[in-house]
């Protein structure tokens, strides 16, 4: 007996997103919570802990993930409801603007972005 194919989910990434962001969201969906340090040690993350922490903050500004503890220096992350809906293909990330804005490469003055 063959297993029926699962429906393919089409996610709509925002232009501000990176492939790494998708991996972070998928990891949090699988694990429930994680830190940049624990993700950096997992297979599939070929990047530094500091880069993961940076992208986690961007995803938090977009309300796709949130710190587990309400603390300024929190580094333990979990998915938000919006993050879950994004992974299901129900949220268009292009309509989300993470604040503060990510500075585009080459832009040196705030008025340029």
């Amino acid at each position: 007996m063959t297993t029926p194919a699962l429906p393919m989910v089409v996610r709509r990434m925002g232009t501000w997103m990176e492939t790494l962001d998708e991996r972070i969201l998928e990891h949090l969906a699988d694990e429930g919570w994680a830190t940049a340090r624990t993700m950096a040690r997992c297979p599939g993350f070929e990047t530094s802990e500091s880069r993961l922490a940076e992208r986690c903050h961007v995803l938090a500004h977009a309300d796709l993930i949130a710190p587990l503890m309400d603390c300024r220096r929190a580094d333990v992350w979990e998915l938000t409801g919006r993050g879950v809906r994004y992974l299901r293909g129900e949220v268009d990330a292009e309509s989300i603007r993470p604040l503060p804005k990510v500075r585009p490469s080459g832009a040196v003055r705030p008025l340029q972005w």
Side-chain angles (χ1 to χ4, degrees), residues 4 10 14 19 26 35 52 62 66 76 81 83 93 100 110 112:
V10 177
T19 306
E26 290 167 355
T35 66
L52 284 161
V76 180
Q112 292 179 324

Side-chain angles (χ1 to χ4, degrees), residues 5 9-10 53 72 84 99 106-107:
V9 175
V10 177
R72 198 166 193 192
V84 171
L99 298 174

Side-chain angles (χ1 to χ4, degrees), residues 83-102:
V84 171
R85 289 190 309 278
Y86 170 78
L87 289 174
R88 290 182 190 152
E90 299 168 5
V91 172
D92 182 357
E94 188 57 34
S95 65
I96 302 170
R97 290 290 172 251
L99 298 174
K101 292 182 181 177
V102 178

Side-chain angles (χ1 to χ4, degrees), residues 8-80:
M8 185 188 225
V9 175
V10 177
R11 298 181 192 148
R12 295 176 299 262
M13 286 181 68
T15 54
W16 56 270
M17 291 182 78
E18 299 180 6
T19 306
L20 178 59
D21 299 342
E22 290 267 328
R23 182 68 189 106
I24 291 169
L25 294 169
E26 290 167 355
H27 182 79
L28 291 174
D30 292 342
E31 300 298 322
W33 63 270
T35 66
R37 176 175 285 166
T38 59
M39 285 187 276
R41 294 178 179 164
C42 289
F45 288 104
E46 282 74 32
T47 191
S48 68
E49 179 182 337
S50 62
R51 181 72 177 138
L52 284 161
E54 176 186 312
R55 296 312 301 170
C56 284
H57 285 281
V58 172
L59 292 170
H61 287 300
D63 192 35
L64 294 172
I65 68 173
L68 260 173
M69 295 179 293
D70 190 18
C71 161
R72 198 166 193 192
R73 296 181 55 122
D75 66 347
V76 180
W77 303 98
E78 66 179 344
L79 277 179
T80 62

